Amino acid sequence: MDLMHRALLTALGALSVLYALVKFSLGYWKRRGILHEKPKFLWGNIKGVVGGKRHVQDALRDIYVGYKGRAPFVGFYACLKPFILVLDLKLVHQIIFTDAGHFTSRGLYSNSAGEPLSANLLQLDGHKWRSLHAKSAEVFTPTNMQKLLPRLAQISARIHSDLGKVGLQTRNISELVGAYNADVMASMAFGLTDQDHQEFSRWTSSYWAGFKLWNAYLALEFPLIARLLQYKSYAEPAAAYFQKVALSQLQEQRRRDRQPLQTFLQLYSNADQPLGDVEIAAQAFGFLLAGLGPLNAILGFCLYELARQPELQDRTRLEIRKTLEQHGGQMTPEFLRELRFTKQVLNETLRLHTPHPFLLRRATKEFELPGSVFVIARGNSVLIPTAAIHRDPEIYPDPERFDPNRFEEEAMRSRPPASFLPFGDGLRGCIAARFAEQQLLVGLVALLREHRYAPCAETTIPMEYDNRRLLLMPKSDIKLSVERMD
Ligand code: HEM
């Protein structure tokens, strides 16, 4: 047999093995006898998502709508990986709250030895996450979050100076809110002073440089091999910058010690069970990773919705102005508590444009659904499709309409538990939800107090999302016309 034939036979053999492996992987739910969406070869049930033709939230919503009411959950495949998609709010509640002990993991890739910044609260699982979570809970207390408020208010003044005193102008809202949120991260998560913020902002857009979806997928599937091969999730120059900044700020803070508590670094190193410096640096990076995108998205989407409904915008502004006057112009915790309608506006934005379209859990123990034949096996990955739940017409009638009245107290009470989860909840819920809400409110106060927003020729209506991101982000920067008011 000549060389050519041998090469051809080897290639054919390899292809047959690959085909058999793919078919075997895509047969998981059938073998388990579980209701599932029929998968397509290689893509499973997310065809179009990998190539950026549709957003992951739409793919999940199609499955949710197609199977809701038929079973508590349905199986599907993201490429070759089997997932459970939860369809029933009772089961959501069990996974997040009552039986959360079975679902304490996410199953994300992390390698604390080779990539110390990946040892953050978001990515870790198991006993490392447990111990870190206990220490972080000491940091994110309501009292500590209130201590950070004066600094937040100070940073929000930048929005005013950025908007300037010019009458009518077209502004890039994504850039404007992005600068505010990056300033907050630079200052509070990394302890940087104002003059270092520009460099910090530049690096925030580069830690995903060189990101390859297939590599990340393989690292997720085969973490041991990925660790052996020293796979890195983040671009090394950016990771080195963030680690260096956090470590040097920790040292700097110790030198000038007795300042009021204004950063997470200080709160972590002053806690009863302080973390080591490298661990604290990883948390600062984790906050950037988990927080910056959704904060930017929500403030942008919120102004976009208010620009399109001027009467809602006026009502929000009136509440802000009146309440601020009652509090002598000071942004105190009481002032924020009284911004009831503004909070409804934020919640409605979180519902309609849920930044994390799903919550992810991995079963750490087998879970038998009480009173049924259904079993979630140990190791199964579970998705809770929050964006689909937030747009379910049986829970939120006329779901595409932006209507903050949905978040009036009585309306909220009338909805079933676990039907509004923009920050997740329970053991693995967003540890910084309270802080994030505070940051969003302070940002909105600064944005709306003296400026009016309206759509302009450069505003994309209806909103288009960036299909290449798992997080819900606008496809292009949000631009609006901004007018300074008397
Ligand atoms: C609008 C802003 C934000 C939204 C919508 C948001 C949403 C979320 C969601 C959905 C999760 C997963 C929850 C779950 O699985 O149940 C999460 C986790 C997390 N978030 Fe946020 N987040 C926001 C801002 C922030 C900020 C500002 C920080 C840090 C300062 C932060 C830090 C974290 C961390 C560390 C986790 C992982 C917690 C753990 O696994 O124990 N988030 N967030």
Side-chain angles (χ1 to χ4, degrees):
M1 205 185 312
D2 65 19
L3 202 65
M4 175 99 159
H5 274 108
R6 250 190 237 167
L8 217 70
L9 277 179
T10 317
L12 259 173
L15 274 178
S16 314
V17 172
L18 195 73
Y19 181 80
L21 276 176
V22 170
K23 284 302 256 186
F24 183 77
S25 302
L26 293 178
Y28 177 79
W29 293 122
K30 198 168 177 193
R31 288 195 299 280
R32 288 224 11 228
I34 282 181
L35 177 71
H36 62 280
E37 175 91 341
K38 199 165 175 253
K40 300 251 174 354
F41 189 73
L42 274 184
W43 304 117
N45 307 108
I46 58 162
K47 193 157 188 267
V49 174
V50 177
K53 286 210 176 81
R54 62 178 181 153
H55 198 276
V56 68
Q57 78 161 4
D58 297 325
L60 297 183
R61 194 169 170 213
D62 284 352
I63 304 176
Y64 174 82
V65 170
Y67 290 87
K68 191 187 157 203
R70 289 171 60 184
F73 64 81
V74 64
F76 78 100
Y77 300 88
C79 297
L80 306 183
K81 190 171 168 59
F83 279 93
I84 279 174
L85 189 89
V86 183
L87 302 166
D88 172 23
L89 289 188
K90 240 169 60 198
L91 180 56
V92 174
H93 198 266
Q94 283 165 332
I95 290 173
I96 288 187
F97 299 109
T98 41
D99 296 287
H102 290 67
F103 300 95
T104 50
S105 289
R106 277 207 185 90
L108 296 178
Y109 175 75
S110 149
N111 176 12
S112 40
E115 194 177 31
L117 292 190
S118 68
N120 58 62
L121 200 60
L122 183 76
Q123 287 176 259
L124 284 177
D125 281 335
H127 67 274
K128 286 188 182 164
W129 169 79
R130 236 173 239 288
S131 126
L132 188 57
H133 185 260
K135 292 175 185 176
S136 304
E138 267 185 57
V139 166
F140 285 87
T141 60
T143 321
N144 278 346
M145 294 308 102
Q146 287 187 9
K147 287 182 191 156
L148 301 177
L149 185 54
R151 179 73 183 126
L152 257 186
Q154 213 177 30
I155 296 172
S156 73
R158 171 182 179 159
I159 293 180
H160 268 199
S161 60
D162 275 6
L163 282 170
K165 294 198 181 342
V166 188
L168 192 66
Q169 46 182 321
T170 295
R171 289 299 301 253
N172 184 325
I173 298 299
S174 304
E175 272 178 12
L176 180 73
V177 300
Y180 160 65
N181 289 323
D183 270 5
V184 176
M185 279 290 167
S187 174
M188 299 205 166
F190 287 83
L192 285 172
T193 51
D194 291 346
Q195 64 266 32
D196 301 319
H197 285 198
Q198 261 192 348
E199 189 186 4
F200 180 89
S201 277
R202 272 202 306 279
W203 283 106
T204 55
S205 51
S206 58
Y207 54 83
W208 287 122
F211 176 80
K212 301 235 171 19
L213 192 68
W214 273 105
N215 290 354
Y217 176 72
L218 290 173
L220 211 64
E221 279 293 87
F222 308 103
L224 286 178
I225 299 177
R227 276 182 210 120
L228 270 176
L229 297 175
Q230 293 290 314
Y231 169 74
K232 302 265 194 307
S233 311
Y234 310 109
E236 287 192 64
Y241 166 80
F242 288 118
Q243 174 144 351
K244 188 189 84 191
V245 166
L247 293 179
S248 66
Q249 285 308 309
L250 275 164
Q251 281 177 6
E252 176 69 16
Q253 275 177 16
R254 285 194 191 109
R255 237 178 288 132
R256 52 182 159 84
D257 211 354
R258 306 275 76 100
Q259 291 209 348
L261 287 175
Q262 289 192 323
T263 73
F264 293 128
L265 297 184
Q266 283 169 306
L267 291 170
Y268 268 108
S269 51
N270 288 10
D272 287 345
Q273 321 167 44
L275 294 176
D277 283 6
V278 175
E279 280 177 296
I280 299 181
Q283 303 328 304
F285 181 70
F287 298 154
L288 184 70
L289 198 69
L292 192 60
L295 288 164
N296 287 344
I298 284 301
L299 274 185
F301 290 138
C302 187
L303 281 190
Y304 166 86
E305 294 294 348
L306 291 180
R308 296 182 61 206
Q309 296 203 52
E311 62 297 346
L312 287 182
Q313 188 184 149
D314 288 344
R315 187 173 163 195
T316 316
R317 183 178 301 103
L318 191 68
E319 180 184 72
I320 289 173
R321 285 181 166 186
K322 258 173 122 174
T323 319
L324 203 53
E325 204 178 295
Q326 284 158 7
H327 289 268
Q330 298 299 309
M331 289 206 222
T332 57
E334 296 70 38
F335 160 71
L336 292 187
R337 254 196 302 278
E338 283 169 34
L339 293 180
R340 288 197 186 85
F341 187 70
T342 314
K343 240 175 265 174
Q344 285 175 223
V345 168
L346 269 183
N347 280 342
E348 178 64 347
T349 312
L350 285 158
R351 179 198 70 81
L352 190 58
H353 305 282
T354 310
H356 291 263
F358 58 85
L359 308 176
L360 177 63
R361 297 286 187 277
R362 176 177 279 181
T364 44
K365 304 176 219 171
E366 182 175 283
F367 180 64
E368 271 180 48
L369 274 64
S372 81
V373 293
F374 295 101
V375 173
I376 298 179
R378 181 165 178 252
N380 277 167
S381 291
V382 179
L383 284 192
I384 297 170
T386 35
I389 294 171
H390 293 169
R391 289 186 186 211
D392 181 337
E394 285 176 14
I395 306 171
Y396 297 96
D398 195 3
E400 303 300 322
R401 193 162 55 91
F402 184 84
D403 176 11
N405 292 331
R406 299 180 202 272
F407 287 91
E408 278 177 355
E409 265 174 39
E410 210 181 311
M412 279 168 72
R413 266 200 304 272
S414 72
R415 283 192 291 269
S419 55
F420 182 58
L421 293 166
F423 293 101
D425 213 328
L427 275 178
R428 290 229 64 162
C430 178
I431 193 125
R434 198 175 282 114
F435 175 75
E437 189 186 70
Q438 192 170 276
Q439 180 168 341
L440 292 168
L441 280 174
V442 169
L444 268 189
V445 169
L447 285 159
L448 287 170
R449 216 161 114 182
E450 289 171 12
H451 293 86
R452 180 181 284 141
Y453 301 81
C456 63
E458 292 172 61
T459 314
T460 310
I461 300 177
M463 176 58 66
E464 288 175 11
Y465 300 118
D466 185 348
N467 293 341
R468 293 157 308 154
R469 307 278 300 262
L470 282 181
L471 211 68
L472 199 71
M473 305 290 275
K475 187 173 175 187
S476 52
D477 284 358
I478 297 174
K479 297 196 180 139
L480 295 173
S481 103
V482 185
E483 186 179 12
R484 192 183 158 88
M485 302 164 73
D486 290 334

